[in-house]
Structures are given as C-alpha cells and as structure tokens.
Amino acid sequence: MPVFKNLPAAPVAAKKPVSDTRHGITRTDDYAWFRDENWQAMFKDPSILQPEIRAHLEAENAYMTAAMADTEALQKVLFAEMRGRIKEDDSSVPVKDGPFAYGTAYVTGGEQPRYFREPREGGERTILLDGDKEAAGKDYFRLSGIHHSTDHSLGIWGYDDKGSEYFTLKVRDLATGEDRSDELANTGGDGVWAPDAKSLFYTALDENHRPSKIFHHILGERQENDRLVYEEKDAGFFMSVGGSLIDDFIYIDIHDHETSEYRLLSTKDLLANPVVVAPRQTGLEYSMTEGGDVFYILTNADGAKDFKIMQTPVTAPGRENWTEVVPHRPGTLILNHMAFARHLVWLERHEGLPRIVVRDRESGEEHAIAFAEEAYSLGLSGAAEYDTDVIRFSYSSMTTPSQLFDYDMTTRERTLLKTQEVPSGHTIDDYVTRRVFAPAPDGESVPVTLLYRKDTPLDGSAPCLLYGYGAYGITIPAGFNTNCLSLVDRGFVYAIAHIRGGKDKGFAWYENGKMDRKTNTFKDFIAAADYLNEEKFTSYAKIVAEGGSAGGMLMGAVANMAPEKFGGIIAAVPFVDVLNTMLDDTLPLTPPEWPEWGNPIESRDFYQLMASYSPYDNVDAKPYPAILALSGLTDPRVTYWEPTKWVARLREKTTGTEPILLKTNMGAGHGGASGRFQRLEEIAFEYAFAIKVAGKM
C-alpha cells in the first residue's frame, strides 16, 4: 500500500537541451541550465542566484514539505529523542600543552562549541572563543577551530558564514579576548604560527575554490602585502600547511588521491624557499612526522601497498636517505603515524579491525593496544606535546558508548578519562552488534556491520537502513552512534556495508573500488542487500539505502541497477552527475578527482566507463523506489545542480508511483546545517523519511 498519499503535483523542470561532443560521442543534457553561470560568485553571495533557478528550488522544497507533512510530529519526536541522548553541557577532557590544558565545551541549548583553556593541573577556565557569540545573527556559521601560538599569547581562529568553505582567519589576543586588526579572507581555514608568534602561514583558495597558494602573513600587515611562499600550479593537487610539535619545521603537504609531495620550511629561516623532500612521482604516497633528529615517513614506496614506516635524517630528508623502521606487512594497513621523544606510534588495521601499536624508539620493542569486540572503532589522538610518554585514544562500538583513555606508553597503563554520557539512558545488553560477510558476485566477501535490538525479529519483517560510502579509501567506522538508536528502537536493523572503495580490508580493497573497477563498489552494496534479504535480517521492500557525497553516487547507481531491491533511498549531497562534472575542469574538485575516477577529457575509455555508470546519465524508464535527495546551495564539493538535475530526470523517467523528493538547504553547503541541534533536525527529517517508507509510522 502506498505510504505517500494526496500529493500535490510535482514540479516539472523545463527542458533546455545542450549538446556536448567528446571522443566522437554526442550527449544531450536537458537540464544543464540549472548550473548558474556565475556559480563562483554565488557561493560567496547566494542572493545573486538566477531567479529561475531559485524559483525551481523553492518549488521543489514546497513539494518536499507537502510530501513529508504527515511526518512533522514524528520529526519532533525523533529530534527530542536524539537531543535527549546528548549531554548538552558536555565538555572535552582538556589536552595538556605547556602551562595550560586546552579543550572545548558546550552550554545547554548552545549550537556552537566554546574553546577554553585552564591551568595545566586544573583550575579556573578561560573562554578563548565562544562560538555561539560569534554565530549570533547568522543563518550559517562554522568554526575551523582556534590554534594557539607557541608562547600561548595569541590564537588563530577561522569561520565560514556562507557554507561555501571559504574561511576568514582572525588573530585573537588570548589574554584579553580581543581580536587584532588582522583579517585574512578566502582561506582554507588552516593557519600555522611561526615560533615567535609574530607571523603565521596559511592556505589561500582561488576563485575555483582550490588551495593554490601558501602565504606568510606578518602580524599587523594588510593581507595584500603577504609574501607568497609557494604556489601550486597543478590544479589537480590539494594543498595544506601545518607545523611540527617541536616548532622546527613548517610542512607544506601537496597531494592528490594517489601521489604526495612535501615541502619543508625550517623555522630558523622563515624567508627561505621551501625544500622538496621527495619530488612527486605518480603513485608514490608519503606523509611525515617529526622525530627530533629524524623524520618518520609513512609511505607506499617500493611496492608497500599497505604502507611501511621509514626514517630519514632531518638534515638530509631526500628519498635516497630513507631507511626502513616498520616493514610492509601485506594485509596490515598502516593508517597514520606520530612520533614522540621516546616512542613511535601508529594506527593500523588488521583483519578489518583497528589497533594501535607503540614502538620504543631506543630498543625497538613493540606492543599493541587492541580490543575484543566483534566490531569496534578506535581513534588515535596522540598528544599536543613531543616530550611525553602519555598519549590519548578513544574506543567505541555500535553498542558501547565512546570511551576516552590516556595511555602511558612506558608502563602500558590505561587511564579511563571519560565515558560518553547518554542522559536519556542506554542499556548495552538490549542491543546486538555483529559483523557478517556478504558474498559479492566475483567471490569477495563484503563485511557488513549490524546493530539491532535483541528482541527484533529476524524473520524478514524488520525494516533496515543500509548505509554505504565506498570511495577515497575512507573506512566507515563501527562506532557508537546515538542517533541511529531512534531507528533501532523502532525495530530497524541498522547496517553499514564496508564496500570496496574504502580500505576496510586493506589498500587493495580501495584499489578494487576505484577507476576502472568502480562498479565493484555498487555490486558490493547490492550484494549486502541480497545477503540481508536472504538471511532474513530484513526484506528488499523494507530496505532504505543511505549514502552521502560519493556515497550519494552509490545511491544513484544502485537505484539504476537494482531499484526493486530497495524500498527507499536517501541520497545526501549526492555526486550523481559524474560524467559532466569530471568533464568540467573549472569545478573545484574535478582535476584532483581524476586519480579517483579517471579523466574522461583525455581518455575515451574512461569517458565510456563513466557514461556506463554515472547515475544521471543512466536514469531510465523503470519503477524507481521513493527517493529523497538532499542538497546545499553553496556546496563547493557536490554542487547543488547535480541533485537538482538528477531529480528532474528521475521524475521525468520513472514508471513507478513513488515520489522523488529534493530538499535544498538554501543557507548551507556540503556539511549541511552548522549547529549541533540544527544538524539533529536534518537527521530527524531523514529518519522520518526512512520510517515512513518502511511503513513504521
């Protein structure tokens, strides 16, 4: 029986055909006009959006509101539940650094964090930056944090008040709380102090939203006078600037999805030109951390697909001087590393589960920190100081609230600092978490993490929210999520499909879900749905699939490939117009994305491959399930016109009766709403859609 009833007429998008010929192949796009020709300026000033486009987006929002009107009470209930699981006046455990300890806190009812510091061993807190105060009167506001100088006198803080991810940096006197005159516009949000606190380094974004330049800013000077330290000419590379814990070097990190290059600037000579460590070589990845007289380098050099750790003298960091410290072990992927005065630490994943390994730098002795649950999440935050034996890490599972530990690397003593509070209550024994494996068409086994209540019937009658991402090597952790309990407590099975394109089973798991093997990602997700149906965790008609960004591409692809296997689909900021976007090298992320997807401008083979799976290009006459697409007007990553075009074509082509809905946040970008409770309202909306589609209202 249909769950969407008495709907008004859906918006019908005008067709304005535009043809494009590449490699002798001509394609026609009826909805290309949704791309505002002045999109770069519109991201900075949304009021200049073309009226015809704005009118259509507002009509789509009105239709979406009408379709979801009967869920408004449910949305409020869901929001109240999720908010009730949050400790509203929560505070982080401060991190010690010199004479102070730094942390973040919220106040009851507050949307934004407050950054504070207190004396190292405890005492009265001083608020350094009040996010709620800075956000007052703004529809959107996102902080990039605050970074204090070595002498603890000043702080760099940044904000974005459009959702376009152009951050403005300011400099604050931490003793008085007053901002200085320095104001740096159009940055990436990161700033690094020189050791003397008289200058800083930052990344500037160009008009196409690419981090193209590193500047050196002298306090008190105007931004236009800042010295250009380095300019990246290749639009295909991302770039960021950072600093070492011991203030000896400024790192310039340049990379795409498969190639790295570091440039170093000694803080002893801030006016020098940055020195290249190892020149970029396609396929060679490396990252660096300080080690006193050496650098430790995490790299895939010499065929180390799952990475190894090398060291090199600070005085001669070139690749010819790299020597092995931690060898490559196939199947054990090293994810990141950090070094301290007496220890080298890294986070690795073995057999699909993370663990932390600590190595004594003098003796070479190693030991691991691991846990026994079937599926869990582990986070390594390390320390803010170099000369320390104590690091910090977090642990959680789908059933276990997050726990924060200090760990003494010498004595191996764990100190539990904090356990996540769930004010409304949480009984671990009421829930079950499992790791199951779905057989893929080519014989691979796809891990799927499940969470459900013990009393949920596993006879095919339970609805299921099946989440997937599968790109950029990103692994979706099996961590504690209080929000999904609102589904699980209503009888849902909550499932995460750890599909190819992530690094859940090592680097090869990523390689086999990118470029010319991208379709494995989609097939893995469908295999997960098949398994959950066959094993009666749920049934096809009760599966609501969800994914965002590159996971939104996944949603569009499986909607085309197997619409009958999903009762509904939620696609958040979905990357669905893959071919057109990868053909447009003026867009912010297109050149850096070619190593992930392929370059259809240069390659006819990649053009045809993308054309074969691009969700927008493969919408056809078939009965699509109910679909909810979510978009942000100022999103620089997945531009608003992608989901807008996709929904228009889906609505034109579907032979089914289920609605195709588009919700565009007219005041936000890729990350959605900026406040913590505003974000909960968005999740409540998505979950209300899932509950409605599953017939559980």
Side-chain angles (χ1 to χ4, degrees):
M1 177 178 290
V3 295
F4 290 90
K5 303 173 182 178
N6 303 317
L7 291 178
V12 177
K15 291 186 176 183
K16 303 179 183 182
V18 174
S19 294
D20 179 74
T21 301
R22 310 285 180 115
H23 309 293
I25 304 168
T26 299
R27 293 161 50 252
T28 299
D29 187 348
D30 290 331
Y31 303 112
W33 65 273
F34 281 124
R35 179 186 186 274
D36 192 318
E37 293 179 359
N38 200 23
W39 59 267
Q40 292 103 324
M42 190 278 294
F43 281 172
K44 296 180 181 179
D45 182 7
S47 69
I48 67 173
L49 179 69
Q50 290 183 30
E52 186 180 9
I53 299 173
R54 182 178 296 277
H56 183 83
L57 295 178
E58 289 174 346
E60 288 283 8
N61 278 346
Y63 176 67
M64 170 275 302
T65 299
M68 293 291 288
D70 61 345
T71 70
E72 289 181 3
L74 173 61
Q75 290 177 49
K76 291 178 181 177
V77 171
L78 292 168
F79 172 77
E81 289 175 2
M82 290 186 280
R83 184 167 181 168
R85 298 189 193 103
I86 294 176
K87 180 175 169 55
E88 291 201 22
D89 59 349
D90 202 6
S91 176
S92 69
V93 179
V95 176
K96 295 178 179 180
D97 187 7
F100 298 104
Y102 291 82
T104 58
Y106 287 87
V107 297
T108 300
E111 292 276 9
Q112 300 284 344
R114 290 182 171 189
Y115 293 83
F116 69 84
R117 73 180 177 191
E118 62 188 31
R120 182 181 181 93
E121 300 305 329
E124 183 178 354
R125 289 184 174 180
T126 300
I127 301 300
L128 305 177
L129 181 64
D130 184 339
D132 288 316
K133 178 181 177 181
E134 302 297 339
K138 299 180 183 295
D139 292 333
Y140 179 93
F141 190 80
R142 178 183 166 197
L143 288 168
S144 62
I146 185 166
H147 178 58
H148 60 269
S149 57
T150 303
D151 66 2
H152 303 271
S153 66
L154 299 172
I156 307 166
W157 69 280
Y159 68 90
D160 165 25
D161 59 6
K162 299 288 191 303
S164 58
E165 298 181 45
Y166 283 100
F167 285 86
T168 298
L169 293 181
K170 291 190 173 186
V171 175
R172 176 159 295 190
D173 185 312
L174 299 185
T176 67
E178 298 295 322
D179 287 327
R180 299 179 54 146
S181 61
D182 307 83
E183 186 168 306
L184 309 175
N186 299 329
T187 80
D190 54 343
V192 180
W193 286 108
D196 62 5
K198 294 179 180 179
S199 64
L200 60 92
F201 296 82
Y202 66 94
T203 307
L205 305 182
D206 63 19
E207 64 176 10
N208 288 334
H209 206 279
R210 294 175 185 145
S212 61
K213 297 177 180 179
I214 303 293
F215 283 101
H216 183 202
H217 173 75
I218 307 297
L219 294 189
E221 292 286 338
R222 297 176 63 86
Q223 185 175 8
E224 54 264 34
N225 296 330
D226 290 349
R227 180 177 69 89
L228 177 64
V229 176
Y230 177 74
E231 180 176 6
E232 177 52 53
K233 301 287 189 180
D234 191 332
F237 281 79
F238 302 99
M239 184 167 60
S240 63
V241 62
S244 66
L245 284 180
I246 49 180
D247 287 331
D248 54 350
F249 284 95
I250 303 293
Y251 299 127
I252 298 176
D253 176 4
I254 307 163
H255 64 277
D256 62 13
H257 294 298
E258 63 176 10
T259 302
S260 308
E261 181 178 274
Y262 269 71
R263 291 172 181 255
L264 300 177
L265 179 63
S266 171
T267 56
K268 295 178 181 178
D269 184 2
L270 297 177
L271 298 180
N273 291 320
V275 176
V276 177
V277 175
R280 66 192 70 175
Q281 175 185 328
T282 300
L284 174 65
E285 295 184 68
Y286 68 96
S287 61
M288 304 178 66
T289 193
E290 58 278 345
D293 58 347
V294 300
F295 289 116
Y296 287 103
I297 298 175
L298 177 63
T299 182
N300 66 348
D302 311 312
K305 182 175 292 188
D306 287 317
F307 288 77
K308 61 183 177 180
I309 299 177
M310 315 281 279
Q311 72 177 33
T312 190
V314 162
T315 54
R319 188 177 171 187
E320 65 277 8
N321 297 317
W322 295 5
T323 57
E324 187 176 277
V325 177
V326 179
H328 175 238
R329 291 161 293 166
T332 299
L333 176 65
I334 303 178
L335 299 165
N336 61 44
H337 73 313
M338 53 187 65
F340 303 95
R342 290 165 291 281
H343 299 90
L344 175 65
V345 187
W346 63 92
L347 179 66
E348 65 183 27
R349 183 174 294 111
H350 180 72
E351 299 292 338
L353 291 175
R355 64 188 181 193
I356 295 168
V357 182
V358 177
R359 177 189 179 101
D360 185 292
R361 288 178 57 176
E362 182 176 352
S363 69
E365 183 181 2
E366 296 178 6
H367 67 274
I369 308 170
F371 293 83
E373 285 195 79
E374 195 171 326
Y376 60 85
S377 174
L378 204 56
L380 174 61
S381 52
E385 298 174 318
Y386 179 74
D387 188 5
T388 183
D389 292 322
V390 179
I391 57 170
R392 189 165 289 181
F393 70 88
S394 61
Y395 168 81
S396 73
S397 75
M398 297 287 280
T399 58
T400 306
S402 180
Q403 297 175 317
L404 188 68
F405 294 88
D406 266 354
Y407 183 77
D408 190 307
M409 296 180 284
T410 300
T411 67
R412 306 188 185 184
E413 179 183 2
R414 299 181 192 180
T415 302
L416 177 62
L417 302 174
K418 180 180 179 181
T419 298
Q420 179 181 354
E421 292 184 45
V422 183
S424 60
H426 176 68
T427 305
I428 295 175
D429 291 341
D430 289 345
Y431 302 91
V432 175
T433 185
R434 292 186 58 188
R435 176 68 62 92
V436 297
F437 294 87
D442 62 357
E444 284 283 5
S445 295
V446 181
V448 183
T449 302
L450 304 177
L451 175 69
Y452 53 88
R453 287 187 66 92
K454 282 186 176 179
D455 56 3
T456 298
L458 302 181
D459 57 4
S461 64
C464 173
L465 190 136
L466 177 59
Y467 180 86
Y469 187 74
Y472 307 117
I474 294 173
T475 298
I476 304 302
F480 190 64
N481 176 359
T482 59
N483 295 329
C484 71
L485 297 176
S486 286
L487 292 178
V488 173
D489 286 345
R490 285 173 172 80
F492 273 72
V493 173
Y494 186 87
I496 301 170
H498 303 280
I499 51 185
R500 276 174 280 189
K503 293 177 182 172
D504 305 71
K505 294 176 69 175
F507 196 84
W509 200 244
Y510 168 43
E511 283 188 317
N512 287 317
K514 64 181 290 196
M515 299 286 279
D516 57 348
R517 286 163 280 188
K518 185 63 218 171
T519 56
N520 284 334
T521 302
F522 317 140
K523 294 172 184 176
D524 284 358
F525 191 82
I526 294 170
D530 289 338
Y531 179 87
L532 295 175
N533 175 75
E534 291 163 8
E535 296 298 316
K536 296 192 181 301
F537 286 103
T538 185
S539 57
Y540 290 132
K542 293 183 178 294
I543 298 177
V544 178
E546 181 182 20
S549 195
M553 180 222 291
L554 168 68
M555 296 299 101
V558 301
N560 289 331
M561 295 169 66
E564 74 283 357
K565 295 182 178 180
F566 304 96
I569 290 175
I570 301 170
V573 289
F575 176 35
V576 282
D577 194 14
V578 180
L579 186 52
N580 281 323
T581 293
M582 288 296 101
L583 287 167
D584 187 350
D585 60 7
T586 70
L587 292 174
L589 292 186
T590 292
E593 297 290 279
W594 288 329
E596 179 76 16
W597 315 105
N599 185 341
I601 298 175
E602 296 183 352
S603 167
R604 178 185 175 93
D605 288 343
F606 275 118
Y607 181 99
Q608 291 179 313
L609 174 66
M610 287 184 193
S612 74
Y613 71 72
S614 173
Y616 178 65
D617 292 279
N618 287 279
V619 172
D620 205 356
K622 60 185 66 175
Y624 286 90
I627 293 177
L628 171 63
L630 301 129
S631 175
L633 180 62
T634 55
D635 186 348
R637 298 171 185 261
V638 177
T639 51
Y640 74 87
W641 58 82
E642 291 203 32
T644 306
K645 291 168 58 176
W646 181 52
V647 164
R649 181 169 282 181
L650 281 167
R651 199 174 287 141
E652 172 197 349
K653 295 286 189 179
T654 186
T655 60
T657 59
E658 298 300 324
I660 311 295
L661 306 178
L662 173 64
K663 179 182 181 182
T664 303
N665 189 328
M666 303 298 281
H670 195 69
S674 55
R676 57 173 177 163
F677 300 129
Q678 292 171 335
R679 180 60 187 141
L680 289 184
E681 289 175 347
E682 293 186 341
I683 297 171
F685 179 84
E686 296 168 24
Y687 283 5
F689 175 84
I691 291 167
K692 181 178 174 73
V693 166
K696 296 290 285 185
M697 286 182 60

